[in-house]
Amino acid sequence: MKAIKLFGSASLLVGAALSLAACGQNNKDAAKTAKKFPEQTPQKTAKKGGTLNYAIETDTPFKGIFDSQLSVDQVDSDVMQFGNESLFDTDNQYQITNKGPAIFKLNKKAKTVTITVKKGVKWSDGKQVVAKDLEYPYEMTANKATNSLRYSDSLANIVGMKEYHDGKAKTISGIDFPDGENGRTIVIHFLSMKLGMLQSGNDYFLESAAPYHYLKDVPFKKLVSSDKIRKNPMFFGPYKVSKVIRGQAVTWVPNKYYWRGTPKLNKIVAQVVSTNSASQAIKSHKFDIVGVVNSQWQSVKTANDTNFIAKIPLAYSYLGFRVGEWKDGKNVMDKNSKMNNKSLRQAIAYAMNINQVEKRYTQGLTFRVPTLIPEQFGDYFDKNAKGYTYNLKKANQLLDKAGYKKKGKWRVQPNGKPLKIKLATMSGSAVQEPIVQNYIQQWHKIGLNVSLTGNRLMEFNSFYDKLDHDDKNIDMFMAAWSLSTEPSPRGMYSETNPMNNSRFVTKENNKLLDEIDSTKAFNHKYRVAAFHKWQQYMNDEAYIVPLTNSYSIQAVNKKIVNYSLKPSAVNSLWYKVGYAK
């Protein structure tokens, strides 16, 4: 599962899309709710012209890092979707097809993947996308000077990648240019082949290109702050950036060199709107496409001239416990960490009354999830997983047995020292604060002195900055992943991935992740069993406690056609979207 922070996105991002107001009822009820909505607007011929206003829902300015390898949050991904086309189209099961900008060939015996970009796929300045543009993102990701959070041991499976990352080689020896850097083909050599390589969203190779001719003069250490990334980014998708109002809005106009043809709209304006203003924006028709905040559904469901479409996204919110630090390129556990006690973590999870919260704050549009593998992944999801259902009695028993004795109002650590737990979580919709305060009250009921880091909810960018840099005032945190479409969890929870913000590392976790991604996993039964073992292990250890997923609804102007949430539609989506004739 590639991740997108905040509440993640489907490409190794870390994003901010799910609302912690998403809490729980069972999946059958959620599925019933899901059937009320189609996955797409009418699919018909669109007329040429018109401006589409798209709402970017966030309570803080977007960062504006417009590159797939340098950005790790969902909001930036949402902002750049109109030009940032992937190299590969997929079917509705996320299998790579050859209908997109590039052709993909896997040779299991030779341990290679060959990627050939199609002739006529051009950057918005008219230059053909070439082989060096396919290879350059690997350098951007692996070169330590960029500080990319996307480098992982999955990418280190490419021959020579680790040597390049460690500064021992100037090039990545395992990526060949059979027709030269200005040809259209690269061949990637792997140390071992993985089943996930057939799926879009795997972490073993990249699905993006970068305009080398445009970026080559920018030093790696300056890339993330350069105007060529922040102000004038270049894409080969249907639209190109016309104007950026930093952190607030981006205006897009057609890329006249787009390989599929001319997109329908004259202009797209992607603009920030706060979650608390979303419902009013829907009712006033300020935007043509707006995400519905689930706690506001009752107030918007009768909006005029609006189509509501929806899906259950590949995402989940979770509670993480800080048990170590990021050191010398890997996560390092601290056996003496305050939160490194399984009984304490389990008790905290059992004290959360997720179903009650859902009943009060949502309308059957959210649900508790019992495991870290979503149900959408079919057999890989462990349907027998129970997760942590509300049980205060069990929570108290766990703490008592583990030696967390009460001293007055609060429990103390087994060593007798005071126990103060700092919780970090993000600001969000109007119900975010009462939901978080509810959970804090629940923990108080079992004698745990939990309070908010800094005594308040955090702004999104600040939250992840503190989390990524191991702020000492964070003992546990509520966050979310938007997942990639290949289910392996290695991209989020491995020893060498900086996005593993709990910093937990165990030999058993390493072993189970290796089993999921081993060559033996080409056997479906073996891989299913490996996934189930990992879910059981993670639920038992409770370093990361799954909380909720939320049914994602979008309000779309009735005049808009060809807008779809189906996986197969994503890559060519903005080429087709327009106004009805």
Side-chain angles (χ1 to χ4, degrees):
M1 287 179 298
K2 266 190 201 169
I4 293 173
K5 243 174 194 162
L6 178 145
F7 265 61
S9 150
S11 64
L12 195 96
L13 294 190
V14 190
L18 291 179
S19 157
L20 285 177
C23 300
Q25 100 239 64
N26 66 47
N27 290 358
K28 284 182 183 174
D29 289 343
K32 232 186 255 179
T33 306
K35 286 176 184 173
K36 296 177 184 176
F37 304 102
E39 280 189 291
Q40 58 190 21
T41 62
Q43 303 291 295
K44 55 173 74 169
T45 305
K47 68 181 182 182
K48 290 184 178 179
T51 295
L52 184 144
N53 292 294
Y54 187 99
I56 301 296
E57 281 174 59
T58 173
D59 295 304
T60 61
F62 58 77
K63 283 183 184 174
I65 302 173
F66 300 131
D67 179 271
S68 293
Q69 303 319 123
L70 302 177
S71 172
V72 288
D73 77 63
Q74 181 63 46
V75 179
D76 280 353
S77 181
D78 288 344
V79 176
M80 63 180 165
Q81 64 181 299
F82 312 99
N84 189 36
E85 189 165 308
S86 167
L87 288 173
F88 306 114
D89 285 13
T90 74
D91 62 20
N92 284 323
Q93 282 70 52
Y94 305 105
Q95 288 251 324
I96 292 170
T97 73
N98 287 329
K99 295 178 181 177
I103 303 292
F104 165 90
K105 289 180 185 174
L106 183 146
N107 187 324
K108 192 176 170 186
K109 188 175 179 182
K111 296 183 183 176
T112 61
V113 161
T114 301
I115 300 172
T116 301
V117 69
K118 292 176 180 175
K119 192 172 183 180
V121 176
K122 296 179 179 180
W123 297 106
S124 55
D125 64 355
K127 293 196 181 298
Q128 168 73 38
V129 177
V130 296
K132 184 64 181 179
D133 300 334
L134 304 183
E135 182 269 348
Y136 196 51
Y138 293 88
E139 294 185 31
M140 293 167 65
T141 305
N143 194 298
K144 289 183 179 179
T146 64
N147 290 315
S148 172
L149 292 177
R150 292 180 177 273
Y151 183 77
S152 68
D153 56 359
S154 297
L155 281 178
N157 183 44
I158 295 173
V159 173
M161 183 65 91
K162 187 176 187 302
E163 290 78 4
Y164 179 81
H165 178 66
D166 292 342
K168 295 175 182 175
K170 290 187 177 179
T171 60
I172 302 164
S173 62
I175 303 181
D176 296 337
F177 303 95
D179 304 317
E181 292 186 359
N182 290 318
R184 292 185 283 112
T185 298
I186 61 170
V187 179
I188 306 169
H189 298 262
F190 296 94
L191 298 170
S192 61
M193 300 305 281
K194 309 291 185 181
L195 178 65
M197 290 175 177
L198 299 170
Q199 290 280 116
S200 173
N202 73 74
D203 290 334
Y204 298 108
F205 56 85
L206 304 177
E207 298 177 42
S208 59
Y212 178 71
H213 70 281
Y214 185 61
L215 298 175
K216 65 182 179 181
D217 296 329
V218 183
F220 280 125
K221 66 180 180 182
K222 293 184 178 178
L223 262 179
V224 76
S225 59
S226 72
D227 280 356
K228 289 184 178 183
I229 295 292
R230 299 287 192 123
K231 195 174 178 182
N232 302 300
M234 191 176 290
F235 301 104
F236 62 79
Y239 292 89
K240 66 177 183 177
V241 170
S242 167
K243 180 183 178 184
V244 175
I245 301 174
R246 189 154 289 186
Q248 295 301 318
V250 177
T251 300
W252 298 80
V253 295
N255 167 15
K256 68 179 180 180
Y257 301 105
Y258 183 55
W259 71 282
R260 294 187 210 257
T262 307
K264 303 301 181 187
L265 299 161
N266 288 338
K267 190 189 293 184
I268 297 174
V269 181
Q271 186 175 343
V272 164
V273 62
S274 73
T275 52
N276 289 332
S277 302
S279 64
Q280 189 52 45
I282 292 169
K283 289 184 280 189
S284 66
H285 301 287
K286 183 179 179 182
F287 295 95
D288 296 296
I289 301 176
V290 194
V292 175
V293 176
N294 288 348
S295 58
Q296 299 171 8
W297 170 244
Q298 294 295 344
S299 69
V300 302
K301 66 181 183 180
T302 57
N304 295 325
D305 299 319
T306 302
N307 284 320
F308 291 102
I309 65 172
K311 69 173 183 176
I312 297 175
L314 284 172
Y316 59 82
S317 67
Y318 67 93
L319 178 67
F321 297 94
R322 176 60 58 75
V323 291
E325 63 179 335
W326 179 256
K327 194 174 181 182
D328 300 326
K330 62 181 181 180
N331 296 294
V332 179
M333 285 266 276
D334 175 7
K335 66 176 195 258
N336 298 314
S337 166
K338 185 192 304 181
M339 307 312 292
N340 206 353
N341 183 297
K342 183 162 78 169
S343 295
L344 175 61
R345 297 192 300 268
Q346 289 181 335
I348 287 169
Y350 276 122
M352 297 182 76
N353 56 340
I354 291 175
N355 288 337
Q356 290 178 357
V357 168
E358 180 276 334
K359 192 173 181 181
R360 177 164 182 179
Y361 290 109
T362 74
Q363 289 79 44
L365 298 171
T366 60
F367 50 93
R368 186 181 72 85
V369 292
T371 171
L372 299 174
I373 298 295
E375 193 172 358
Q376 292 98 308
F377 285 130
D379 292 353
Y380 297 141
F381 167 74
D382 182 0
K383 63 180 183 295
N384 296 316
K386 299 291 187 289
Y388 287 88
T389 52
Y390 182 44
N391 192 330
L392 276 188
K393 183 180 178 182
K394 194 163 188 176
N396 278 311
Q397 287 173 343
L398 282 163
L399 293 171
D400 291 341
K401 192 174 180 181
Y404 289 90
K405 294 185 173 67
K406 273 202 175 179
K407 203 170 183 179
K409 184 179 181 182
W410 305 119
R411 292 180 185 268
V412 296
Q413 297 181 62
N415 61 14
K417 291 182 180 178
L419 177 61
K420 290 185 178 179
I421 299 170
K422 293 290 185 181
L423 167 73
T425 189
M426 290 168 279
S427 56
S429 71
V431 299
Q432 191 93 323
E433 180 86 36
I435 286 173
V436 173
Q437 290 300 335
N438 159 81
Y439 290 136
I440 289 174
Q441 287 169 22
Q442 289 299 118
W443 294 319
H444 286 180
K445 285 179 185 178
I446 57 172
L448 295 178
N449 186 1
V450 179
S451 60
L452 287 171
T453 300
N455 297 312
R456 59 185 173 80
L457 302 184
M458 291 184 194
E459 181 268 336
F460 168 64
N461 296 318
S462 174
F463 171 82
Y464 274 109
D465 183 63
K466 289 180 185 296
L467 205 56
D468 292 339
H469 292 93
D470 296 336
D471 189 290
K472 300 297 182 191
N473 290 312
I474 298 177
D475 298 313
M476 61 183 189
F477 56 94
M478 285 180 176
W481 290 116
S482 181
L483 308 177
S484 94
T485 49
E486 207 293 307
S488 170
R490 179 181 293 275
M492 297 177 291
Y493 300 124
S494 72
E495 183 172 356
T496 57
N497 197 305
M499 290 190 285
N500 176 2
N501 286 122
S502 283
R503 309 301 180 209
F504 83 91
V505 180
T506 65
K507 285 182 181 177
E508 182 65 11
N509 186 53
N510 290 345
K511 174 174 156 287
L512 293 171
L513 290 176
D514 285 345
E515 287 176 2
I516 284 171
D517 292 331
S518 70
T519 50
K520 288 181 183 176
F522 278 90
N523 179 299
H524 183 67
K525 282 185 180 177
Y526 177 92
R527 200 177 199 219
V528 166
F531 265 104
H532 288 195
K533 271 164 59 179
W534 182 79
Q535 288 167 82
Q536 289 155 14
Y537 173 75
M538 291 296 285
N539 267 357
D540 181 56
E541 291 293 333
Y543 291 111
I544 301 288
V545 175
L547 299 178
T548 65
N549 196 355
S550 175
Y551 203 64
S552 176
I553 307 169
Q554 294 197 348
V556 184
N557 179 343
K558 261 197 172 160
K559 295 176 183 174
I560 298 296
V561 295
N562 304 330
Y563 184 67
S564 176
L565 302 177
K566 291 185 176 182
S568 62
V570 169
N571 222 28
S572 59
L573 179 68
W574 292 107
Y575 165 59
K576 296 175 179 176
V577 169
Y579 284 89
K581 278 190 170 181

